[in-house]
Amino acid sequence: MSAHILDVEGLRIVELPAEGPLLREAADLLGLAWEHQASMVAVPAARLGDDFFTLSTGIAGELVQKCVNYRVRLTILGDISGHVANSRALKGFVYESNLGNHLWFLEDREALVARLTRRSPSSGAAPTQG
């Protein structure tokens, strides 16, 4: 599975490409994180499929719980407004997740970099890409 590596404020992030098969197994994400010595994985929302955003399926809960258990932070990138508009439970889940540090739902890579640099003391160094 190809991936893009980002280093932001001392945090290594594996970002998956938008193209590719749906992700169903946390082991795939965890393996990528370990392979690249990353503490965060950024996944395009489209790679998760509609079932992920239907909380009653349990897919989101299982994936997120495994990432939390293994201390790998997860960021979902992309527009999920259609899913959120159709589910009060998902809206609450996204809101609460974005308050914490383990799971974020953000628009794109730029929003992720901005959030990480805003939360960390400024080092004066620009994010690097590898």
Side-chain angles (χ1 to χ4, degrees):
M1 187 180 310
S2 69
H4 184 80
I5 308 302
L6 299 169
D7 288 300
V8 181
E9 299 287 329
L11 178 74
R12 179 161 275 205
I13 304 162
V14 176
E15 180 184 13
L16 298 179
E19 302 80 33
L22 291 180
L23 296 168
R24 291 292 182 221
E25 298 296 324
D28 295 336
L29 296 179
L30 295 170
L32 267 176
W34 295 330
E35 174 184 345
H36 295 286
Q37 299 177 348
S39 56
M40 179 181 279
V41 178
V43 179
R47 297 280 306 270
L48 297 170
D50 292 340
D51 288 350
F52 179 89
F53 298 100
T54 303
L55 297 182
S56 62
T57 66
I59 294 170
E62 183 178 327
L63 187 81
V64 171
Q65 187 61 53
K66 285 185 180 173
C67 288
V68 168
N69 288 350
Y70 289 97
R71 293 184 174 95
V72 172
R73 296 166 67 183
L74 179 62
T75 300
I76 310 302
L77 299 176
D79 180 11
I80 61 165
S81 59
H83 295 290
V84 170
N86 293 324
S87 172
R88 195 172 182 165
L90 180 62
K91 181 178 181 178
F93 180 66
V94 168
Y95 176 80
E96 290 296 326
S97 295
N98 282 341
L99 292 177
N101 281 321
H102 293 288
L103 173 64
W104 292 340
F105 292 86
L106 300 172
E107 190 65 31
D108 53 28
R109 179 194 302 161
E110 290 75 24
L112 174 58
V113 170
R115 182 160 183 177
L116 289 169
T117 55
R118 188 173 61 234
R119 288 195 161 208
S120 303
S122 179
S123 64
T128 59
Q129 298 183 13

